[in-house]
């Protein structure tokens, strides 16, 4: 009986060791997960098949999520093309495309993404002016879609080394820095007033010209140069004045 017990004990021990040996080799992969396999520090491949998987126990296994990640960066201060300090923040949707690169080519790929987002935002922010009332230049505020495309291209180029791509990105915050916000607001208001005045004067000149042409064509009245100048002056006052005009009845003539 003692020999039988010893044999049973050895068999049980071997079975337990075999069970542990086999169990260590199992790993579970959920959708959009990958496992990077290594053998004594040497890269052996990447497994992306979902479900319960098994490999030799001495194979190292490191899981990497390949799901989409959404990040909103912190607000940073950037000098635009004209040197004006502005505040910017971006929203970026990124994901890992090469698990081996993400693990082996950079120290911490998530921290790497955050640093490169900030660097890309600074690069794009300094490439264009914040605003342009004459609409002659590409601006950060006026060409949001175009600048967003360039930001995505910049990020893809920077993150390629880490096996990461960018699906979508855009600015979540874009404004002048507090120290110049008041001055730039007054400047914008002044430029808006000038632009509005310019449009108003152009319209008034066209209306005056049309009025004089119609009076001449229909022979309503014949005006000499002095009367024409007086009429033009009165019409411009009426059309361009900010306040309602008060009619003046002239009982005499222009020369009295």
């Amino acid at each position: 009986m003692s020999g039988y017990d010893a044999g049973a004990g050895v068999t049980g021990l071997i079975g337990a060791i075999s069970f542990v040996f086999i169990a260590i080799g199992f790993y579970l992969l959920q959708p959009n997960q990958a496992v990077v396999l290594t053998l004594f520090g040497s890269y052996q491949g990447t497994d992306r098949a979902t479900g319960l998987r098994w490999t030799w126990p001495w194979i190292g296994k490191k899981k990497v999520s390949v799901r989409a990640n959404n990040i909103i960066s912190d607000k940073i201060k950037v000098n635009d093309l004209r040197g004006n300090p502005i505040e910017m923040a971006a929203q970026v949707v990124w994901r890992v495309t090469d698990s081996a690169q993400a693990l082996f080519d950079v120290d911490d790929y998530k921290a790497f993404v955050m640093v490169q987002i900030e660097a890309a935002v600074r690069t794009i922010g300094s490439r264009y002016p914040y605003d342009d009332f004459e609409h002659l230049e590409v601006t950060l505020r006026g060409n949001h879609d175009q600048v967003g495309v360039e930001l995505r291209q910049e990020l893809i180029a920077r993150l390629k080394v880490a096996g990461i791509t960018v699906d979508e990105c855009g600015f979540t915050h874009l404004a002048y820095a507090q120290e110049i916000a008041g001055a730039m607001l007054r400047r914008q208001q002044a430029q808006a007033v000038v632009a509005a005045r310019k449009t108003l004067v152009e319209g008034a000149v066209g209306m005056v010209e049309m009025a004089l042409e119609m009076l001449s064509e229909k022979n309503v009245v014949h005006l000499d140069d002095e009367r024409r100048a007086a009429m033009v002056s009165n019409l411009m006052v009426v059309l361009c004045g900010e306040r309602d005009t008060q009619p003046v009845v002239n009982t005499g003539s222009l020369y009295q």
Side-chain angles (χ1 to χ4, degrees):
M1 293 296 293
S2 60
Y4 175 79
D5 292 340
V10 172
T11 302
L13 179 61
I14 294 174
I17 294 175
S18 299
F19 175 78
V20 173
F21 179 82
I22 295 173
I24 292 175
F26 283 103
Y27 57 93
L28 181 65
L29 275 182
Q30 297 179 355
N32 290 321
Q33 275 189 332
V35 165
V36 177
L37 305 175
T38 58
L39 176 62
F40 305 118
S42 176
Y43 174 66
Q44 298 298 306
T46 300
D47 187 3
R48 291 175 178 262
T50 59
L52 186 63
R53 310 286 292 166
W54 185 87
T55 188
W56 296 108
W58 51 78
I59 298 293
K61 300 174 284 293
K62 184 64 178 287
K63 288 186 178 180
V64 177
S65 174
V66 293
R67 299 184 179 100
N69 296 269
N70 187 44
I71 289 180
I72 298 179
S73 67
D74 296 330
K75 296 178 184 178
I76 60 175
K77 189 176 294 185
V78 183
N79 290 332
D80 71 354
L81 183 64
R82 295 172 181 167
N84 297 318
I86 59 176
E87 294 179 348
M88 303 178 70
Q91 172 263 340
V92 179
V93 179
W94 63 273
R95 57 187 172 84
V96 174
T97 56
D98 191 316
S99 304
Q101 279 188 288
L103 286 179
F104 302 136
D105 289 357
V106 293
D107 183 52
D108 184 343
Y109 67 91
K110 292 183 178 180
F112 183 78
V113 169
M114 294 299 299
V115 172
Q116 294 304 320
I117 288 175
E118 179 177 343
V121 169
R122 290 188 182 278
T123 299
I124 298 299
S126 62
R127 189 176 296 173
Y128 299 104
Y130 174 82
D131 206 353
D132 176 27
F133 271 94
E134 297 180 356
H135 305 290
L136 300 177
E137 299 179 85
V138 176
T139 63
L140 297 172
R141 192 173 74 90
N143 302 88
H144 188 273
D145 293 338
Q146 178 179 342
V147 176
V149 170
E150 291 195 28
L151 175 62
R152 179 172 179 267
Q153 294 173 347
E154 182 75 19
L155 282 171
I156 289 175
R158 290 173 175 270
L159 297 176
K160 185 178 180 181
V161 66
I164 295 172
T165 190
V166 176
D167 295 331
E168 179 186 347
C169 65
F171 294 110
T172 58
H173 178 78
L174 185 62
Y176 282 115
Q178 293 183 355
E179 59 266 28
I180 67 165
M184 298 308 296
L185 178 60
R186 291 191 294 271
R187 176 184 175 184
Q188 290 176 357
Q189 291 173 340
Q191 289 177 326
V193 170
V194 170
R197 286 290 184 182
K198 180 180 178 181
T199 302
L200 183 62
V201 170
E202 289 176 352
V205 169
M207 294 177 66
V208 170
E209 183 180 4
M210 180 180 64
L212 293 175
E213 289 179 355
M214 293 182 67
L215 289 174
S216 299
E217 291 176 358
K218 297 183 178 181
N219 294 322
V220 175
V221 63
H222 295 283
L223 302 174
D224 57 20
D225 292 339
E226 188 173 356
R227 286 188 173 88
R228 183 183 293 268
M231 182 177 179
V232 169
S233 176
N234 292 334
L235 286 175
M236 291 297 294
V237 170
V238 172
L239 295 174
C240 297
E242 293 184 357
R243 299 179 180 178
D244 295 336
T245 56
Q246 300 294 328
V248 176
V249 178
N250 184 9
T251 59
S253 65
L254 182 66
Y255 303 102
Q256 294 181 355

